[in-house]
Amino acid sequence: TLTASIAGFDFDNVLLNAAGVYCQTASELDQILEASGAGSLVTKSATPAERDGNAGVRFAEMPLGSINSMGLPNLGLDYYLDYTITHQDEKPLFLSIAGLTKADNLAMLRDVQDSDFNGLVELNLSCPNVPGKPQTAYDFDTTREILNEVFSFYTKPLGVKLPPYFDIAHFDMIAEILNDFPLAFVNTINSIGNGLVVDPETDTVVIAPKGGFGGLGGEIVKPTALANVRALRQRLRPEIKIIGTGGVTNGRDVYDHILCGADLVSVGTSLYFEGPAIFERLNNELIAIMAEKGYNHLDEFRGRLQTL
Ligand code: DHB
């Protein structure tokens, strides 16, 4: 059995989409909701009002992954709140919110708090693609300040979506902050922000916004994702669950995320390319690896990465 649990919500499968992929419209969300092998879904990160996002080509394939600078195109909080409330009796669902300001985040969370929403909120502190807006969770003081204000009134299960960290001191610093709050989970990692890809045919960048700088996803980010899952699992209180995100294209990748400590595993770039049928394939591949190793439950290997 491939079950998991976060904040009293039970998931029949550990897989879900990564925020941003296949989750902007009700029709996309329906396909994830109904996909065999998907245990949940997360909605496109919402802002208070609908946004078109950045102009021009804003997603491109690259060797071993993808680069994007979408710029938070979304249909607005009310749309995703309505969708999740309508479907929350089918599965436990994640509602992603990504205000461009602290005030927007607090206002949206007040709306969610006062609504009939009975699911998990993923507060996105790591969008790299809005011109002029830094990735919030690289600013440790601001992160603590936002969480202080959020938990002064918000009482439903809440987690944060983190950017990748690249230094052991930064793992220590973010974990020390997160451990001071009643978080249900963290989701790590968001895309590796502000990469740049060159098209050798045209000598140009491959996406239009921000002069070509964009978030990297896909196979290429897997070692960074696993490092963040592992480092945070080693540092966070055990009550704070982990959603592992980054570089999942096959069952072994899912297995590795769980081995590093992930409770759920989300799929972005390869879901974009393969579509929702990927969840069944990944589950089957995971089950085959577990069978080979004689495991029946995820608990038998979750977090049990060996060191040399
Ligand atoms: C977008 C990208 C992200 O990585 C994110 O966390 C939120 C939004 C975007 O460009 O739309």
Side-chain angles (χ1 to χ4, degrees):
T1 53
L2 302 181
T3 59
S5 145
I6 297 181
F9 291 99
D10 294 324
F11 299 86
D12 291 341
N13 275 299
V14 297
L15 299 175
L16 70 158
N17 65 298
V21 180
Y22 253 95
C23 59
Q24 191 162 339
T25 63
S27 133
E28 290 178 332
L29 289 161
D30 284 346
Q31 293 178 65
I32 304 295
L33 192 67
E34 290 156 18
S36 166
S40 184
L41 60 73
V42 57
T43 54
K44 172 68 187 174
S45 291
T47 51
E50 183 173 349
R51 284 171 58 89
D52 291 338
N54 295 335
V57 174
R58 54 193 189 179
F59 180 97
E61 192 168 8
M62 65 167 185
L64 302 181
S66 65
I67 181 168
N68 86 85
S69 182
M70 307 301 290
L72 271 171
N74 78 95
L75 296 169
L77 177 68
D78 288 350
Y79 184 91
Y80 302 107
L81 196 49
D82 284 352
Y83 185 90
T84 49
I85 290 171
T86 301
H87 294 282
Q88 63 192 1
D89 295 336
E90 300 164 49
K91 285 178 184 177
L93 304 178
F94 292 87
L95 175 70
S96 174
I97 76 162
L100 299 190
T101 62
K102 182 176 74 174
D104 277 0
N105 278 325
L106 295 173
M108 287 192 282
L109 287 172
R110 285 194 188 280
D111 286 352
V112 179
Q113 175 74 27
D114 294 341
S115 75
D116 293 326
F117 179 74
N118 172 33
L120 303 107
V121 162
E122 181 170 289
L123 175 61
N124 184 350
L125 300 179
S126 48
C127 174
N129 296 337
V130 177
K133 298 283 178 187
Q135 291 157 86
T136 306
Y138 284 149
D139 179 337
F140 294 113
D141 292 339
T142 299
T143 297
R144 180 180 286 282
E145 181 186 307
I146 290 172
L147 292 176
N148 258 325
E149 296 196 33
V150 165
F151 285 111
S152 73
F153 68 90
Y154 194 79
T155 59
K156 299 180 183 184
L158 180 132
V160 288
K161 178 75 171 273
L162 298 172
Y165 297 98
F166 302 95
D167 194 284
I168 300 297
H170 292 168
F171 292 138
D172 292 341
M173 290 163 76
I174 191 67
E176 187 181 330
I177 293 164
L178 300 173
N179 277 334
D180 282 344
F181 297 96
L183 287 163
F185 68 95
V186 303
N187 186 333
T188 182
I189 59 174
N190 206 317
S191 58
I192 297 182
N194 296 296
L196 190 124
V197 173
V198 174
D199 182 338
E201 298 287 312
T202 55
D203 289 1
T204 66
V205 296
V206 298
I207 55 172
K210 291 176 60 179
F213 289 79
L216 308 180
E219 280 180 75
I220 201 162
V221 312
K222 182 183 169 187
T224 297
L226 293 182
N228 278 264
V229 170
R230 173 71 165 173
L232 290 170
R233 186 64 290 158
Q234 290 175 315
R235 289 167 176 76
L236 295 176
R237 291 184 290 104
E239 297 76 22
I240 304 180
K241 303 296 186 184
I242 295 186
I243 305 177
T245 304
V248 173
T249 67
N250 59 46
R252 181 68 212 197
D253 302 325
V254 179
Y255 185 94
D256 288 345
H257 268 275
I258 297 168
L259 199 61
C260 288
D263 294 280
L264 299 181
V265 177
S266 81
V267 189
T269 296
S270 54
L271 168 63
Y272 181 94
F273 290 120
E274 194 169 329
I278 194 172
F279 295 112
E280 187 168 4
R281 176 176 70 78
L282 293 173
N283 263 331
N284 290 339
E285 292 173 1
L286 174 62
I287 288 164
I289 294 166
M290 288 172 62
E292 217 171 275
K293 293 176 181 286
Y295 293 141
N296 292 307
H297 299 282
L298 302 171
D299 301 347
E300 295 171 68
F301 66 97
R302 182 180 296 109
R304 302 215 186 152
L305 178 67
Q306 312 272 330
T307 56
L308 302 180

